[in-house]
Amino acid sequence: MEKILNDYLEKMEKHLKPIPISERMDIINEIKSEMQELYNNGVPAEKIIERLGNPKDLAKAYLGDLLSKERHFSWNRILIICAFFSLFGLSGICIVPCLGVIAPSLMISGILCVMAGIIKMLDSIFALNLPYVENIGVHIGENVFLHPVAEFMICLIIGVLLFYAGYAAWKLLVLFCKKVSRTAKKL
Amino acid sequence: MNIDDWKSQIKRGTLELCVLLLIKQRSSYGYEIISTLDKYPIVAAKENTIYPLLRRLLKEGYISSSWQEGTEGLPPRKYYSLTAQGQEYLDAMCVEWGNLVNAIAELKGE
């Protein structure tokens, strides 16, 4: 192929840099295919260049959508971005650490609650008289004493509930982070 | 009277329909599409319009493409064909096109 045609393609490729390499090569090959087609039909190289126009303009036509998305400047957009980052920046300061502390705390509490119930029950069944176990228990009223097995059942239920509450807080945190990053990408 | 301005708006609005109709008839490559459209001045368009349009239609899944090796001195060509999604889109466009033609016919009092 003639040199001016190759030069044309090289210039075009230079202006297509924002497009990923594989797509860029595809675009160049397609234009090259048309050049060869025209050349085979007896159209002189100069006429082919004339037909295709300025290589920079042809490349820009491909970038059209990309540019209008990136270069578009408006005060409205700036305001939206500012509002977004101040809102999520502030809420992020509260929400992320709060949920980050709440989630594992609740989960650990849930596990400890069940373990405490088990210790109390084993202590009473096998009469181990472990120290401080008298401090563990479910206290409903002054003179109401529950059977250790009943206490264990209550501990189990509360433990599971606490664990799920922690798990929910964790899910909420993940959801929040995902939502923020997705919204930020859209801006 | 600025008929050229209006004509370019018509072209911009209907080129997509024309290209899809052309590809539906048979799989075609860029240069062939440009040459065929060249026969109809109202929708004739240059490389810097058709290629980006084809790329967009490809990205939106309305058409698919495949490179075919050149034989007997012919260059390799990138053929475009209509996808099922493109057919659906084209059908919807044709319905709207029919509505437009009918509306204009009625307004003209035909």
Side-chain angles (χ1 to χ4, degrees), chain A residues 19 23 26-27 29-31 33-34 36-38 40-41 51-52 57-58 61-62 65, chain B residues 29-31 34 46-48 51-52 54-56 59 67 73-78 80:
Chain A
I19 293 175
E23 279 186 61
D26 201 67
I27 290 169
N29 283 333
E30 196 170 22
I31 299 297
S33 157
E34 174 163 339
Q36 288 171 329
E37 191 96 36
L38 286 163
N40 286 354
N41 292 350
R51 179 193 162 106
L52 294 174
D57 291 340
L58 185 55
Y62 282 97
D65 297 339
Chain B
Y29 54 99
Y31 174 64
I34 294 166
K46 288 174 60 178
E47 281 78 2
N48 63 6
Y51 285 121
L54 286 168
R55 201 169 105 95
R56 186 168 59 77
K59 283 205 162 178
W67 278 99
L74 289 173
R77 291 164 171 169
K78 191 180 181 186
Y80 295 95

Side-chain angles (χ1 to χ4, degrees), chain A residues 7 26 35 46 48 73 75-76 94 103 106 132 160 162:
Chain A
D7 287 350
D26 201 67
M35 283 177 166
E46 290 77 19
I48 297 174
F73 177 88
W75 283 108
N76 220 0
C94 310
L106 283 175
Y132 305 114
V160 168
L162 282 173

Side-chain angles (χ1 to χ4, degrees), chain A residues 91-109:
Chain A
S91 65
I93 287 173
C94 310
I95 293 175
V96 173
C98 281
L99 286 178
V101 170
I102 288 172
S105 312
L106 283 175
M107 284 163 112
I108 292 168
S109 303

